[in-house]
Amino acid sequence: MEEQTPYDMIGGEAPLRALVDRFYDLMLLEPEFALLRSLHPEDLSEARNRLFWFLSGWLGGPQLYMERFGHPRLRARHLPFSIGEAERDQWVKCMVRAMEEMDVSEGLRLRLGVNFFKTADFMRNRDNKIVIGPSDNP
C-alpha cells in the first residue's frame, strides 16, 4: 500500500486550488497581511497560478510548475523582493490561516506549517538588524 502524499491528503487539485485562492483572498482582505500584499502586483492571477502549480508538485502531485518553467529555483526567483523576518512571518501566518479555514487536518497542517516556515525562512534575503548611528567597529 502506497503512502498518501500531502497532495492526496489535501484532496487533490480542487482543494489545493481552493487553498491557494483562500491564501490570496486573506492577503487581499486582512490588514495584518498588508506587508505581504505590498510585495505582489495589483493583479494576483499569475501569482495564484504559480503558487498552485508549485504547491502541486511540492506536495507530491503533478509537477505543473516544472512542466511550465523547469526547476523552481525559489531563492533566485525571490531575490528581487526584499524579504525579512516580517515578510516571512506574514506569509507563513497567512498560509496557516488559509489551511485552518480550508479544514486541512491538524496533523497535516502542523507538518506543512513546519515545512512552509523552513522554505519561507530560506527565502529571506534581508537582515532585520536595526542600526542606530555609525558602527563602532573599525
Side-chain angles (χ1 to χ4, degrees):
M1 187 165 123
E2 286 186 36
E3 185 177 327
Q4 278 195 316
T5 66
Y7 179 85
D8 296 326
M9 295 168 77
I10 282 176
E13 182 178 349
L16 179 58
R17 175 61 81 172
L19 173 65
V20 168
D21 285 340
R22 187 62 190 147
F23 170 82
Y24 282 104
D25 291 347
L26 287 168
M27 190 186 352
L28 280 167
L29 299 170
E30 299 297 332
E32 68 184 300
F33 303 125
L35 179 61
L36 179 61
R37 176 65 180 104
S38 73
L39 298 175
H40 292 78
E42 184 175 334
D43 181 359
L44 292 173
S45 302
E46 186 66 16
R48 287 175 191 262
N49 285 332
R50 285 180 183 254
L51 182 58
F52 168 73
W53 295 330
F54 171 75
L55 289 179
S56 176
W58 190 71
L59 295 172
Q63 296 293 321
L64 304 174
Y65 189 94
M66 288 188 61
E67 291 169 6
R68 287 167 174 79
F69 306 108
H71 191 281
R73 299 179 18 239
L74 286 182
R75 186 144 168 84
R77 292 186 196 274
H78 286 81
L79 280 175
F81 307 98
S82 180
I83 302 172
E85 290 176 1
E87 292 82 2
R88 173 203 64 199
D89 292 348
Q90 281 193 19
W91 195 98
V92 172
K93 185 175 183 181
C94 189
M95 181 55 77
V96 167
R97 186 156 154 209
M99 288 192 294
E100 289 170 351
E101 292 186 12
M102 298 307 299
D103 292 325
V104 173
S105 71
E106 183 179 7
L108 182 58
R109 211 170 53 237
L110 293 172
R111 177 176 156 196
L112 292 179
V114 168
N115 290 320
F116 281 135
F117 179 85
K118 288 178 183 177
T119 303
D121 192 54
F122 184 66
M123 297 303 110
R124 285 191 309 127
N125 55 25
R126 187 183 79 238
D127 192 356
N128 286 345
K129 292 181 183 172
I130 298 172
V131 178
I132 302 172
S135 173
D136 293 330
N137 297 330

